[in-house]
Amino acid sequence: MAKRTILTAPDPRLKAKGKDVDKVDGDIRRLIDDMLETMYAADGVGLAAVQIGVALNVVVMDIAQKEGKNDPQVFINPKILWASEETAKFEEGCLSVPDIWEEVTRHTAIRAQYLDRDGNQQVVEADGFLADCLQHEIDHLSGKLFIDHLSRLKRSMALKKLGKAKRQKELA
Ligand code: GNR
Ligand code: NI
């Protein structure tokens, strides 16, 4: 396993559209292991392959880690099959947009299909935080960040803050 570098906005590679995985083989499972290691090291609850510069439709997630025990989840080629009409605001952050937290409007429930680690077709029904995270990660696979859901003003403020933090880190 190897920890990878997480890209941060405005890196153009974050705008890449992921390609579906043809076959869940050893290379993909190694990618998944690297992604989980990278996600846990960064204290994130999810990570999409595009965030480490790999334009494939692979997502890892662990929304239980705050409770002390790891519960890694893997979603390969995830597709939303159904989304509730009902929406709600969720406070979101992103490892590719560090230290920025904003409310994003999301569907409160979704149904999605995906391949698991063994390449088997699965369907997940998600609500609450899992539904929020899945929508956030599936957005990454089409080159979309949570700040793209914000008003132009809020997005430009977030990018400005990010640029400032990056420059200060370079000086430090
Ligand atoms: O670590 C993360 N936390 C988070 C909180 C609210 C909604 C979505 C997320 S995902 C984010 C990790 C990340 O950037 N995944 O792409
Ligand atoms: Ni993210």
Side-chain angles (χ1 to χ4, degrees):
M1 290 225 281
K3 201 177 81 171
R4 311 277 194 104
T5 303
I6 298 174
L7 306 175
T8 54
D11 193 304
R13 286 170 290 178
L14 289 168
K15 296 226 155 112
K17 294 205 185 340
K19 270 180 41 183
D20 271 350
V21 170
D22 288 332
K23 192 169 177 288
V24 182
D25 57 12
D27 284 346
I28 295 297
R29 277 189 282 268
R30 268 186 292 279
L31 170 68
I32 287 165
D33 288 342
D34 284 1
M35 287 172 64
L36 283 167
E37 186 177 340
T38 305
M39 179 187 78
Y40 286 125
D43 246 330
V45 298
L47 188 73
V50 290
Q51 291 179 275
I52 56 165
V54 177
L56 287 172
N57 293 336
V58 178
V59 164
V60 297
M61 209 180 281
D62 191 333
I63 61 169
Q65 64 171 4
K66 297 278 135 64
E67 283 135 51
K69 214 172 173 296
N70 286 356
D71 180 22
Q73 289 183 279
V74 177
F75 302 94
I76 301 166
N77 302 346
K79 301 274 176 319
I80 293 177
L81 300 170
W82 169 86
S84 63
E85 263 176 55
E86 190 193 15
T87 58
K89 285 182 180 168
F90 292 90
E91 178 100 353
E92 294 193 16
C94 180
L95 294 173
S96 296
V97 192
D99 300 321
I100 310 261
W101 291 86
E102 292 287 349
E103 278 189 336
V104 179
T105 301
R106 301 284 191 187
H107 302 286
T108 54
I110 61 165
R111 184 182 310 121
Q113 64 168 51
Y114 64 99
L115 300 177
D116 65 20
R117 219 188 138 83
D118 301 313
N120 295 318
Q121 203 47 258
Q122 304 286 351
V123 173
V124 60
E125 311 230 349
D127 60 10
F129 190 49
L130 179 60
D132 175 27
C133 284
L134 267 171
Q135 289 169 85
H136 176 114
E137 301 307 341
I138 290 172
D139 268 358
H140 274 300
L141 304 181
S142 56
K144 203 164 182 188
L145 298 173
F146 82 96
I147 53 172
D148 296 325
H149 289 276
L150 306 177
S151 68
R152 274 171 59 183
L153 178 64
K154 278 200 171 168
R155 180 167 53 251
S156 73
M157 282 188 340
L159 286 169
K160 213 165 132 185
K161 191 174 159 193
L162 203 67
K164 201 169 161 186
K166 269 195 194 181
R167 283 193 299 279
Q168 269 167 358
K169 224 175 132 191
E170 277 159 22
L171 291 172

